[in-house]
Amino acid sequence: MSKTATAEEAVRRIGDGAIVAVNASSGLCCPDAVLAALGARFDATGSPRNLTSVHPIAAGDMFGTPGVDHIAKPGMLTKIIGGSYPSGPTKAEPPKIWQMITAGQVKAYNVPSGIVFDMLREGAAKRPGVLTKVGLQTFVDPDLEGCAMNDAARAEPLVFHREFEGEDWLYFPAIRPDVAIIRATTADERGNLSFEQEGAYLGAMELALAARNSGGLVIAQVKRVAQNGSIRPHDVRVPGILVDVVVEAPGQLQTTATDYDPAISGELIRPLHTFRPADFNVGKVIARRVAQELREGWAVNIGFGISANVPRILVEEGLHGAVTWMIEQGAVGGVPLLDFKFGCAANAEAFVASPHQFTYFQAGGFDASLLSFLEVGRDGSVNVSRLRGVPHRTAGAGGFVDITARARKIVFSGNFNAGAKMRVEDGQLVIDSEGKVAKFVDAVDQVSFSGARARELGQDVTYVTERCVIRLVEGALVVTEVAPGLDVQQDILDQAATELRVANDLKTMDACLFQPGTMALELARA
């Protein structure tokens, strides 16, 4: 018997007070048609009410896929646990979910994405919860903010300290969802799901297991429905025994603002010459310097921001494949994509489930991570997750805390301060006017990465900016390289709002970084 139904029929089965887990990463794998039907049902009937939504990675975006905004309605949504949230331009109207969070209309938590997946997996296995050291001494820690995003959440703590075998751990209770809403490309009539046109699996299997083992409902949105037996067993990523309802949505986007790109789903190998090199500017100078930190043969995680351009640097230098890129959504290898397609990779070597990728990250199994910063504190701590004045400008922490918890080497990148007018001319950085907002400060607004814990663990931490390279040395920020033509005191030390030390063997950054077309990047073997 076919499990297909309309979206309207499917969401009628969701009751008041349900815990609803959603598998998505912005527009990637977002079951937007089902979420739209769920929101429309509430508008028409006032039900279901008092929902809790769980999003390991953000559902929806600000660029055409509303996602969680479909259900961001007072009375309908009363609690949300998100690894990340929809984000967008400063001057744009904030998403509805952010308006609810800042108004205190919903209890909102920013829990590291990997931990949210862990909470669901523990719920699926009927275990009590997650013991982890991921998040210690960051905003995740109850001694700081305990993941709470507003006063409503602070009144209902989500994470606790627990002692186990003489050590301090963070404890997150398991999540047992009543509903899982997932998405795939194809379902057969029995509900077997394949992902051949998707750019990731994310945590579809884990969410389906958690709901099924909790006696709940699993709704799968798909692009098309096929006859039984037409999907090869090896291609089934979620078996039909876990799926209750299939909703066909032929117009679903592959990812944010992308109808379909076969290179994203690994169905086509895109020629390397089609990846456009980044324009030569200050951001490219930073990305080039970050690339110099890499070693041939490394497995390297990459995050959003300036560092996302580093794979293009290697393509431009004829070094594609010298390192293997890894992103939290699950792609391994290939070329991570930019802008609306961030979170996807073209020409990936493999796709793994996000929960498996996060297990790899949380234990520090990879060689290095390239990430961005908003602020850097005196002790090396980093804020990447909160801009208090414009909260929707950032997505929250996402997988940042999972990735940095035990990473052996981390390279943070960003402009030295905010608002400076700069250009590269004649092989030098020219600062026309200074920025008004310091990014190196005594204490960061939110601790996304703990410099103190990094010192305890012996992590190798570097901060690359357009005007200098700074390393974390015994808990202090030490300037080790300066851009050619700059004055260390005037252009660096005086522009920081905290103490920076200067290395005794201060070096000048390679002049080739500041000359378009002259860099010959060489990566030493690891």
Side-chain angles (χ1 to χ4, degrees):
M1 186 175 71
S2 175
K3 296 182 177 181
T4 58
T6 66
E8 293 72 21
E9 291 168 341
V11 300
R12 285 183 205 138
R13 300 174 62 174
I14 300 175
D16 291 351
I19 299 173
V20 181
V22 181
N23 191 51
S25 176
S26 297
L28 179 63
C29 288
C30 186
D32 203 59
V34 175
L35 293 173
L38 184 57
R41 178 188 165 202
F42 179 82
D43 290 340
T45 68
S47 183
R49 300 185 60 81
N50 301 323
L51 298 180
T52 294
S53 64
V54 181
H55 308 263
I57 312 177
D61 52 61
M62 293 178 64
F63 308 99
T65 305
V68 67
D69 263 18
H70 287 302
I71 60 173
K73 304 172 189 290
M76 182 182 191
L77 188 64
T78 55
K79 184 176 179 180
I80 182 167
I81 300 169
S84 54
Y85 290 81
S87 62
T90 299
K91 295 182 179 179
E93 182 180 6
K96 294 176 183 177
I97 187 60
W98 275 111
Q99 295 178 39
M100 289 186 69
I101 291 169
T102 54
Q105 296 173 323
V106 59
K107 297 172 184 174
Y109 305 84
N110 186 193
V111 180
S113 294
I115 292 178
V116 181
F117 282 124
D118 291 338
M119 295 166 78
L120 289 161
R121 287 199 290 190
E122 294 304 285
K126 295 286 196 285
R127 293 188 288 257
V130 180
L131 281 179
T132 182
K133 292 185 181 289
V134 171
L136 282 170
Q137 299 181 42
T138 74
F139 76 91
V140 175
D141 196 316
D143 289 346
L144 296 180
E145 299 172 48
C147 299
M149 298 174 71
N150 56 18
D151 289 339
R154 279 184 278 277
E156 186 180 310
L158 185 70
V159 54
F160 310 88
H161 281 282
R162 292 287 185 268
E163 183 179 320
F164 180 71
E165 294 190 345
E167 295 186 24
D168 182 34
W169 298 78
L170 297 182
Y171 169 70
F172 292 82
I175 296 175
R176 297 180 175 87
D178 301 294
V179 182
I181 305 176
I182 63 178
R183 196 189 91 179
T185 300
T186 307
D188 68 15
E189 296 165 289
R190 293 174 60 85
N192 294 301
L193 305 180
S194 60
F195 287 66
E196 62 270 19
Q197 291 186 4
E198 307 303 320
Y201 310 132
L202 303 177
M205 180 66 173
E206 284 72 14
L207 268 65
L209 273 173
R212 168 60 64 185
N213 287 1
S214 301
L217 171 72
V218 178
I219 300 171
Q221 176 184 312
V222 298
K223 190 171 186 178
R224 57 202 182 191
V225 176
Q227 181 178 318
N228 286 337
S230 58
I231 303 176
R232 294 192 315 153
H234 278 293
D235 293 337
V236 173
R237 296 294 171 178
V238 180
I241 56 172
L242 302 181
V243 177
D244 297 292
V245 186
V246 172
V247 173
E248 195 170 12
Q252 68 185 25
L253 297 177
Q254 188 182 39
T255 186
T256 300
T258 304
D259 289 325
Y260 174 56
D261 177 350
I264 286 176
S265 47
E267 299 169 278
L268 175 147
I269 302 300
R270 181 175 160 186
L272 289 180
H273 70 81
T274 65
F275 294 97
R276 183 178 62 84
D279 294 335
F280 192 82
N281 53 28
V282 170
K284 187 167 185 176
V285 169
I286 297 173
R288 285 174 134 194
R289 178 59 188 83
V290 170
Q292 291 183 334
E293 293 289 313
L294 302 176
R295 297 292 179 268
E296 185 179 350
W298 274 3
V300 181
N301 164 259
I302 194 163
F304 190 70
I306 289 172
S307 292
N309 287 302
V310 176
R312 307 297 178 104
I313 300 296
L314 266 62
V315 170
E316 188 177 351
E317 293 284 326
L319 290 171
H320 173 67
V323 304
T324 300
W325 304 109
M326 311 195 65
I327 51 181
E328 64 189 61
Q329 286 78 4
V332 178
V335 182
L337 299 177
L338 306 173
D339 303 323
F340 289 148
K341 296 180 181 180
F342 184 80
C344 302
N347 306 351
E349 297 173 23
F351 295 117
V352 301
S354 286
H356 300 168
Q357 196 86 304
F358 278 117
T359 298
Y360 182 53
F361 292 155
Q362 288 174 351
F366 58 112
D367 296 291
S369 184
L370 313 183
L371 300 165
S372 298
F373 66 81
L374 294 174
E375 296 177 305
V376 178
R378 183 173 184 170
D379 68 347
S381 293
V382 170
N383 171 23
V384 74
S385 48
R386 182 168 69 194
L387 276 173
R388 194 179 294 272
V390 195
H392 74 276
R393 187 68 181 87
T394 67
F400 183 94
V401 180
D402 304 283
I403 292 162
T404 58
R406 289 188 178 89
R408 287 170 273 170
K409 180 179 179 63
I410 309 169
V411 184
F412 295 110
S413 61
N415 288 337
F416 188 82
N417 60 28
K421 304 298 183 185
M422 299 172 291
R423 55 196 161 87
V424 180
E425 187 175 281
D426 296 329
Q428 293 189 339
L429 179 70
V430 179
I431 303 171
D432 294 315
S433 63
E434 278 295 357
K436 296 181 180 180
V437 180
K439 298 176 77 171
F440 287 83
V441 296
D442 278 336
V444 296
D445 183 52
Q446 184 171 68
V447 181
S448 316
F449 168 77
S450 169
R453 184 153 176 81
R455 184 178 184 183
E456 292 174 13
L457 297 177
Q459 292 173 295
D460 179 351
V461 184
T462 302
Y463 313 83
V464 176
T465 77
E466 77 286 351
R467 58 184 79 184
C468 64
V469 175
I470 298 171
R471 298 194 187 273
L472 186 60
V473 181
E474 296 182 352
L477 297 175
V478 180
V479 180
T480 59
E481 297 177 34
V482 60
L486 293 193
D487 180 90
V488 175
Q489 185 66 48
Q490 175 182 311
D491 298 319
I492 297 173
L493 302 183
D494 291 349
Q495 303 308 319
T498 192
E499 178 186 6
L500 301 178
R501 300 180 186 176
V502 180
N504 292 330
D505 58 344
L506 180 68
K507 298 178 175 62
T508 300
M509 294 168 71
D510 285 350
C512 64
L513 298 172
F514 299 84
Q515 291 281 6
T518 62
M519 183 180 181
L521 181 64
E522 294 183 6
L523 300 184
R525 286 292 302 174

